[in-house]
Amino acid sequence: MIRTAAALLALFALAPAASAQETPEWSLAIHGGAGTLLRENMTPEQEAEYRAAMQAALDAGAKVLAEGGSAMDAVEAAIVRLEDDPKFNAGRGAVFTWEGTNEMDASVMDGSNRAAGAVAGVGTVRHPIRLARAVMDDGRHVFLSGDGAEQFAGEKGLEIVPPEWFATEHRRRQLEEMKAKNLSALDVEFKFGTVGAVARDRQGHLAAGTSTGGMTGKRWGRIGDSPVIGAGTYADDRACAVSATGWGEFFIRAGVAHAICDRMLLAGEGVQQAADTVMADVAQMGGDGGVIAVSKDGEAVFSFNTPGMYRARANSSGMSEVAIFAED
């Protein structure tokens, strides 16, 4: 999976950049994972299904913003749609751990006050992103895990489902193949299946959220970057909101989401430059993946060093687009 820096930087150039425009009233970007997504490996029917799923999630978030709702509500609305779609590795359709269970992680952050909430290792909460938000709204803690997070979800009245609700045969076969052939998670998934959203609302506030099932065959309670504030998720009204998807260990080590906002605040970089610079750093370390980001001025961008990333963006100026492959 490790590529040369030159090849990775060449892929950056293929990520579409937002065109210069006046500040939109609202802006939204979402992702459904990055990885070895090649047109020749996907049937037209599969591509159409993924594009439709991304469009539905984008429309759900955009509707909130168009009606004057908050960035946080829009982020939640978009991610809930993706968590319910078994095509994505978050909520229903989450990958299996080595032991054959589904353990999900999620986080949210509000750029207006830098409040945040995160959960890890939950297995009965239908929408982990709503649990992460409940942690944030409660305010006493930022990060809950395992049984404690499940208990908190019950006390907050969140929807609880049996563990079997998350399981799909496709993901079970991936685990079986991984064990039988002694493969890595990337050999059976071909992508980092995290979902996320970032938004700017009409009031100029930013928000970010990320949700995942982790990596196929993960062991020992492994936690990636998705629920780690500053690595997989970050939002600050002074700079940007970021959601990441990729090889979590590298994104944690680089503090990817926070580093992008930091470069905008301290170095005065634009959101695309900051995202590309940080992703180049991840690449040099040997990590793969991508980010979505929206600036305080509503510019929504993507940066990734993989052959593709499920991604989409929309704003009040009329933009509404979905892309999968690097050349899109």
Side-chain angles (χ1 to χ4, degrees):
M1 293 297 294
I2 299 176
R3 305 174 176 86
T4 65
L8 290 166
L9 290 174
L11 281 173
F12 284 138
L14 294 174
S19 58
Q21 59 181 340
E22 295 182 2
T23 300
E25 288 186 346
W26 57 263
S27 186
L28 172 71
I30 66 173
H31 70 78
T36 309
L37 303 172
L38 301 173
R39 198 180 301 274
E40 57 265 30
N41 294 339
M42 189 177 293
T43 68
E45 291 77 16
Q46 289 172 327
E47 180 180 343
E49 288 176 0
Y50 273 102
R51 289 184 182 275
M54 291 295 290
Q55 188 69 59
L58 185 71
D59 290 347
K63 182 176 186 293
V64 172
L65 294 169
E67 294 176 353
S70 71
M72 183 57 66
D73 285 346
V75 163
E76 180 181 334
I79 293 177
V80 161
R81 291 295 296 262
L82 296 171
E83 286 179 333
D84 274 345
D85 193 321
K87 287 189 287 296
F88 301 97
N89 175 21
R92 192 171 201 181
V95 299
F96 283 92
T97 68
W98 187 262
E99 291 76 20
T101 61
N102 305 109
E103 294 180 359
M104 290 149 287
D105 313 324
S107 63
V108 295
M109 189 164 183
D110 185 337
S112 68
N113 57 6
R114 283 181 280 175
V119 295
V122 297
T124 63
V125 181
R126 177 173 177 177
H127 295 117
I129 199 68
R130 285 184 170 156
L131 177 54
R133 182 171 183 181
V135 173
M136 181 188 72
D137 290 344
D138 180 79
R140 286 174 288 179
H141 305 293
V142 170
F143 206 157
L144 301 181
S145 67
D147 292 342
E150 301 269 359
Q151 180 182 346
F152 179 83
E155 293 178 2
K156 292 297 181 180
L158 297 181
E159 185 175 358
I160 304 299
V161 294
E164 296 77 22
W165 192 88
F166 301 99
T168 62
E169 284 306 309
H170 170 63
R171 297 300 189 188
R172 195 180 301 279
R173 286 194 300 271
Q174 286 181 336
L175 177 65
E176 292 171 352
E177 181 183 6
M178 178 185 185
K179 288 184 173 182
K181 299 181 180 179
N182 195 28
L183 301 174
S184 74
L186 301 184
D187 290 327
V188 296
E189 286 184 65
F190 306 108
K191 71 182 182 71
F192 304 98
T194 301
V195 307
V198 294
R200 177 193 187 273
D201 60 33
R202 286 178 172 173
Q203 290 69 46
H205 297 311
L206 303 177
T210 311
S211 181
T212 189
M215 299 184 81
T216 299
K218 62 183 179 179
R219 305 178 75 177
W220 310 299
R222 179 264 185 190
I223 298 169
D225 65 303
S226 296
V228 178
I229 302 301
T233 301
Y234 199 75
D236 184 340
D237 277 6
R238 299 173 300 171
C240 67
V242 180
S243 175
T245 173
W247 198 334
E249 282 70 16
F250 291 95
F251 280 65
I252 293 171
R253 288 163 56 190
V256 165
H258 185 271
I260 292 170
C261 292
D262 238 14
R263 295 191 72 89
M264 295 181 68
L265 273 175
L266 303 179
E269 294 180 353
V271 64
Q272 187 72 64
Q273 181 183 359
D276 288 349
T277 300
V278 173
M279 284 305 301
D281 183 42
V282 172
Q284 289 180 339
M285 294 168 63
D288 290 336
V291 297
I292 56 174
V294 62
S295 74
K296 65 179 181 179
D297 297 321
E299 182 182 2
V301 304
F302 316 108
S303 183
F304 54 98
N305 59 16
T306 53
M309 179 168 76
Y310 296 113
R311 60 202 189 276
R313 60 186 173 184
N315 65 27
S316 57
S317 300
M319 174 190 289
S320 181
E321 60 184 30
V322 176
I324 298 176
F325 312 108
E327 64 270 20
D328 286 347

